[in-house]
Every structure is written in C-alpha cells, then in structure tokens.
C-alpha cells in the first residue's frame, strides 16, 4: 500500500498525526532529507526534531539502509533504489549518545497525484526490551543446559551452583580447584555459557598437552620466520579467545617464563606474538583450573604468587566424588540414560549388588572414573543388565574398594588369564589403547601384552 498526498492541508494533517502516534515515525524526500520527525522518534533516539529535520537520513547510521553495513553519507537509500517499501526489517540506529538501538522498520513510498515518488514514510518499533528478554531467555536456556551436564544434588554441589551463578556475570578471573576427574572443565564451561560473553569464543587449553618448545607460540602466536618451521603468521589461543573466555586447564604446568607473560595478559590484556614487537590488546576473561595446591607451589618457587592472587579473585572448589557419595546413583542414572539416547535403545538396568560396589569404591578418579566404569560395564554386558562381573576388575572384588592405590586391585601372580573375549572387549572399550585397557583390567601393560600374546591377540590394540 502507498500513501498519496494531494496538497498542503494533507501534509499538515500528516504532521499532526505523526506527532500524536506512539510509534516512532519520520518522513524523507527522494534525496533522503528528513522532513518530519515525531515525538516518539525523539524519545527513542534522544535526537530532537529541530536537530534532524533537514538532515540526511544517513545521520541515523542505519545498518540496513544502504543494502549492507552502515553506508557513507550521500549514498542513496535502498528504499528509493528498489522503489518499493518493506515490512519488519530489523535495523539498528544511532542514538544521540553514540549507542545503538535495535528496531523494526516499516516503510512506504509516498507519491503525488501524478504517481511520482516524492518521498517515504517510515515507522520504527523499539526492539531493545524484546531483545533483552530474548537474551535473558537464552541465558536461562544456556544455564539449564550446562546444569544438566554438571550432575549433583549434594549440598556441596548446590553451593557450587550458587557460586557459579554469582561468578558468571563478573569479569574477574576464576581459579577452579579440584581433584582429577571432578569436572573442572564443565564448571568453566558453565561459567562462560552463563556469562555475558556466552556468544563469544570459549577456548580450552590443556597446559600439560602444550609442547614445551612451542608453548609461547601456542598461547601468544608467532610471526613468519620467528623460528624454524614458522612458515606463516599464526594467532595464538589468547588472540583466538578475544571477546570471550580462555580456560587454562592444569595451569600449574606452565613454566615460570610463560607465567611472566601470562601475568601481563592478566594485568593489561596485552602481549606480543613470538618474533614480533607489535603489542596486541585483547578483551578476554581468564578461567584456570588445577588439581594441585598452587599456594604450596608458590612457596616452592614453582608458581608466581602474583599470578595466583590474580587468578584466585573468585576461587571455586569442585568436591570429590568421595565427599558426595549420595550423588553416585544420580550420576549412574544419568550415564545410563545418555547411553540409551545415543544407542536409541532401551535403558540398561543395574542391580543393587552393582550399586553397592559403586558406593563402596573410593573413586580416586572421581566422576570421570565412574563414567568410564559404566562405559566399560555397558560394553561387556550382553543383555542390557549390568551385573557385578561386568564391572572393571578393580570394582568386582568388594575387598579392593578400600585397598591401596585408591582401591585398585593389581593382578597377582597365579591369577588366571581372562578369557580372550574379555580381553578383546576391554581393548574395544579403551579404543584399542593398551594403557587404558590395562588400567581397566587392573594390570600392567606388560602383563596385558603377555595375555594378548597368549590369547593370540598380539596384533590388536597396538596403541599406548
């Protein structure tokens, strides 16, 4: 629908109508010069009619008005280029204070009695409140999603959830402590995805996995020719995380030299790539995790005290599974339900004797060890029913649960060799990696190698 304006009286009437409508409206001529600007537009943008009338509409810096990003002054609006109006086009406009407001725009061409285009009228609806609500809903969904990944009902976990909610909106660095396998990375992910940075990158860095000779290049990047093999420029993990969050797992493994560079990033958000003198600035939040006593490392001179206190602005501790045994049935249920979803089959069942074994174990590997134990049992069980004999060897004997070495029952001389199919299932469950299969069976790699050779499986599971 187009609007036809016959004469001066109609124009004056139009201006009166525009002034009283609650929606933002303005008119422009064919050159894009603003001829009318109503009160709602003043309230939306902070720009008065006397400031805008006579100005080109490019002064609003609409990001869709010129067919793409904000166009240069003088470029003709797509409304007149395409010679047709539009409905509910999302756009952002510049406010007087320089901030931007999200709006929906409707536009119609205006023609005179001869059918000639003489301008356009546009209505503007403020989307800021709607988008704020949408962002809040999105944040709640993200929070609910990460909460489903961190399983626990014990009071210590409820307290951890509260700390995550308090820490997430902050910009402060966070140090997450806890034993191996407690879920420190899940906590870091929950903090990021519940924070204002959730739409930006979340970069995970396993510090022990970084090559000692290339750790600086991995973290800070390098320029071409910085060292042998540096054939091109490369950005580092900190640069990749710009605008978002970087998670440094097992940070205690970083050398003192790298810690010194890290301190500068924490203090100033600045660094240089290896082989480069150009200082680069980033906007990142640093989360770190460790399974050791960092204060003890500081006393030993192996970790910088100033970095420790920078990181530990908000300290979080993830409780061990031994401290929340009540959560073991909940975790087992979660792993079984997930297996059923992934396999698109019936949920496996688990008997009370098996649950007793799980509750008695000391769990030196925490939730990760429990997860692997359930995966092992699901792999070797035959009918969807997990029985005691389906558990990893260190869990089959109740006496081993409170034994030495965190409850691991090592193979003793004279113990029979497991059946070949048991060995093969252990290898399959470990993805062919002998070290993991041996650990699951409670034996050394040498013993496993001998068993495989005796069973005629020596060519299988060559991984370490």
């Amino acid at each position: 629908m187009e609007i036809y304006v016959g004469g001066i009286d109609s124009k004056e009437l139009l201006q009166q109508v525009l002034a009283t409508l609650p929606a933002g409206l303005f008119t422009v001529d064919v050159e894009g010069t603003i001829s009318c600007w109503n009160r709602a537009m003043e309230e939306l943008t902070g720009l008065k009619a006397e400031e805008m009338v006579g100005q080109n509409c490019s002064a609003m810096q609409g990001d869709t008005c010129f067919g793409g990003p904000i166009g240069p002054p003088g470029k003709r609006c797509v409304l007149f280029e395409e010679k047709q109006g539009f409905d509910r086009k999302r756009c952002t406009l510049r406010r007087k204070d320089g901030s931007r407001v999200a709006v929906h725009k409707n536009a119609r061409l205006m023609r005179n009695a001869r059918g000639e285009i003489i301008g356009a009228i546009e209505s503007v609806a403020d989307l800021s409140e709607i988008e704020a609500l949408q962002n809040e809903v999105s944040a709640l969904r993200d929070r609910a999603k990460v909460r489903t990944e961190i399983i626990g009902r014990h009071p210590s976990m409820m307290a951890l959830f509260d700390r995550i909610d308090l820490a997430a909106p902050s910009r402060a660095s966070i140090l997450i402590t806890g034993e191996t396998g407690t879920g420190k990375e899940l906590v870091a992910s929950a903090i990021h995805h519940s924070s204002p940075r959730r739409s930006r990158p979340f970069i995970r860095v396993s510090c022990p996995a970084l090559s000692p000779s290339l750790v600086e290049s991995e973290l800070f990047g390098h320029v071409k020719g910085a060292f042998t093999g540096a054939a091109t420029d490369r950005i580092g993990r900190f640069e990749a995380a710009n605008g978002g969050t970087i998670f440094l797992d097992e940070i205690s493994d970083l050398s003192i030299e790298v810690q010194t560079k890290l301190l500068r990033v924490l203090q100033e958000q600045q660094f240089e790539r290896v082989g480069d003198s150009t200082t680069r600035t980033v906007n990142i939040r640093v989360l770190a995790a460790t399974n050791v006593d960092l204060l003890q490392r500081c006393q030993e001179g192996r970790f910088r005290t100033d970095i420790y206190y920078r990181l530990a602005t908000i300290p979080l501790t993830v409780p061990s599974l031994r401290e929340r045994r009540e959560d073991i049935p909940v975790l087992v249920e979660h792993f079984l339900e997930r297996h059923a979803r992934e396999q698109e089959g019936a949920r496996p069942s688990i008997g009370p004797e098996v649950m007793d074994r799980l509750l008695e174990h000391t769990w030196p590997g925490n939730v990760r060890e429990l997860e692997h134990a359930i995966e092992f049992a699901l792999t070797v069980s035959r009918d969807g029913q997990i029985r005691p004999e389906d558990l990893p060897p260190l869990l089959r004997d109740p006496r081993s649960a409170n034994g030495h070495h965190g409850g691991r029952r090592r193979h003793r001389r004279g113990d029979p060799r497991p059946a070949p199919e048991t060995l093969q299932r252990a290898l399959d469950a470990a993805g062919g990696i002998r070290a993991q299969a041996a650990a699951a069976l409670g034996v050394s790699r040498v013993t496993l190698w001998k068993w495989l050779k005796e069973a005629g499986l020596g060519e299988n599971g060559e991984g370490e």
Side-chain angles (χ1 to χ4, degrees):
M1 173 182 168
E2 296 181 348
I3 298 172
Y4 293 86
V5 180
I8 187 69
D9 292 337
S10 298
K11 202 168 187 179
E12 290 177 355
L13 176 62
L14 178 62
Q15 290 178 340
Q16 292 296 323
V17 172
L18 291 178
T20 57
L21 287 176
L25 287 104
F26 63 95
T27 59
V28 294
D29 64 18
V30 292
E31 299 299 326
T33 301
I34 297 171
S35 54
C36 183
W37 186 265
N38 79 341
R39 189 175 296 113
M41 285 298 297
E42 292 182 338
E43 295 173 354
L44 179 65
T45 65
L47 295 162
K48 298 295 184 182
E50 53 266 30
E51 297 177 86
M52 297 304 295
V53 172
Q55 292 275 354
N56 189 275
C57 62
S58 62
M60 290 183 286
Q61 296 183 5
D63 59 0
T64 62
C65 298
F66 303 95
I70 299 169
K75 185 175 180 180
R76 201 162 193 227
C77 176
V78 292
L79 186 62
F80 298 113
E81 287 288 343
E82 298 176 0
K83 296 184 180 180
Q84 61 180 3
F86 52 77
D87 290 312
R88 295 179 60 79
K89 176 185 285 187
R90 189 191 180 282
C91 181
T92 66
L93 304 177
R94 182 186 65 85
R95 287 192 176 106
K96 187 172 184 176
D97 62 6
S99 64
R100 302 192 68 81
V101 58
V103 299
H104 265 155
K105 291 173 64 179
N106 296 323
R108 294 293 182 271
L109 295 173
M110 296 192 299
R111 299 177 184 270
N112 61 18
R114 296 186 298 276
E116 299 167 337
I117 298 175
I118 60 172
I121 181 171
E122 299 190 32
S123 65
V124 178
D126 187 358
L127 290 180
S128 55
E129 289 188 9
I130 295 174
E131 293 200 343
L133 290 173
Q134 289 175 337
N135 289 337
E136 188 173 342
V137 170
S138 176
L140 290 172
R141 286 175 178 169
D142 288 339
R143 186 175 300 174
K145 181 179 179 181
V146 296
R147 281 289 183 86
T148 61
E149 296 174 357
I150 307 176
I151 307 299
R153 299 175 184 171
H154 189 272
S156 64
M157 293 301 292
M158 295 296 102
L160 177 62
F161 292 148
D162 289 341
R163 294 294 296 274
I164 290 172
D165 288 343
L166 290 172
S170 170
R171 298 182 61 184
S173 300
I174 295 178
L175 180 63
I176 306 167
T177 59
E179 296 179 8
T180 297
T182 51
K184 297 185 290 295
E185 183 174 333
L186 287 177
V187 171
S189 178
I191 292 169
H192 170 76
H193 288 100
S194 299
S195 77
R197 297 173 181 261
R198 59 185 171 274
S199 62
R200 305 296 297 165
F202 177 58
I203 304 298
R204 303 168 178 84
V205 181
S206 174
C207 296
L210 297 176
S211 167
S213 61
L214 297 175
V215 60
E216 290 191 33
S217 172
E218 288 287 337
L219 293 177
F220 306 109
H222 63 251
V223 295
K224 181 179 179 180
F227 51 83
T228 302
T232 60
D233 290 355
R234 179 183 178 184
I235 68 170
R237 308 291 181 88
F238 283 100
E239 209 166 338
N242 192 24
T245 305
I246 189 167
F247 172 54
L248 303 175
D249 196 13
E250 303 305 343
I251 194 172
S252 61
D253 281 56
L254 292 179
S255 68
I256 290 293
E257 293 75 20
V258 175
Q259 290 175 34
T260 302
K261 284 196 170 186
L262 173 61
L263 178 62
R264 186 183 175 201
V265 178
L266 291 170
Q267 290 178 329
E268 305 171 14
Q269 302 264 293
Q270 292 183 335
F271 62 92
E272 288 86 34
R273 292 180 182 176
V274 176
D276 193 10
S277 59
T278 301
T279 297
R280 301 175 186 274
T281 301
V282 290
N283 173 19
I284 57 173
R285 185 183 192 183
V286 178
L287 309 180
T290 182
N291 63 355
V292 302
D293 186 342
L294 275 189
L295 275 178
Q296 179 67 32
R297 292 287 178 96
C298 292
Q299 294 170 3
E300 296 169 354
R302 299 165 61 190
F303 200 84
R304 292 188 58 136
T305 305
D306 43 11
I307 290 185
Y308 171 80
Y309 287 111
R310 281 274 179 180
L311 290 173
T313 304
I314 302 178
L316 296 179
T317 299
V318 187
S320 69
L321 192 54
R322 295 183 303 282
E323 299 173 273
R324 54 183 187 106
R325 290 182 183 274
E326 297 92 331
D327 283 338
I328 290 176
V330 181
L331 286 160
V332 171
E333 181 71 20
H334 170 72
F335 297 141
L336 294 178
E337 290 287 351
R338 187 177 67 189
H339 175 80
R341 288 195 306 271
E342 292 174 351
Q343 300 300 318
E344 298 182 350
R347 176 194 171 282
S349 60
I350 185 168
E353 187 179 354
V354 174
M355 186 60 71
D356 288 344
R357 301 279 178 92
L358 298 178
L359 289 169
E360 291 169 0
H361 187 54
T362 55
W363 299 113
N366 292 289
V367 178
R368 185 182 299 142
E369 183 186 3
L370 174 60
E371 182 179 11
H372 290 169
I374 297 300
E375 288 177 352
F376 180 93
L378 288 168
T379 301
V380 301
S381 65
R382 298 178 180 276
D383 55 4
Q385 170 72 35
I386 297 178
R387 299 176 176 83
E389 57 266 27
D390 296 324
L391 293 172
L394 63 138
L395 287 168
R396 290 177 196 162
D397 183 356
R399 294 169 299 177
S400 72
N402 296 305
H404 298 293
H405 307 294
R408 173 167 297 187
R409 178 188 179 277
R410 302 303 299 180
H411 174 71
R412 294 189 294 267
R413 187 181 299 276
D415 282 354
R417 169 173 59 80
E421 56 268 25
T422 301
L423 294 174
Q424 187 60 59
R425 285 197 295 269
L427 282 170
D428 293 341
I433 300 176
R434 283 184 176 178
Q436 291 185 14
L441 292 167
V443 300
S444 68
R445 282 183 290 178
V446 173
T447 297
L448 176 61
W449 177 82
K450 290 179 180 177
W451 282 352
L452 292 173
K453 187 175 181 181
E454 292 170 0
L457 300 172
E459 298 303 316
N460 296 328
E462 293 300 323
E464 291 299 322

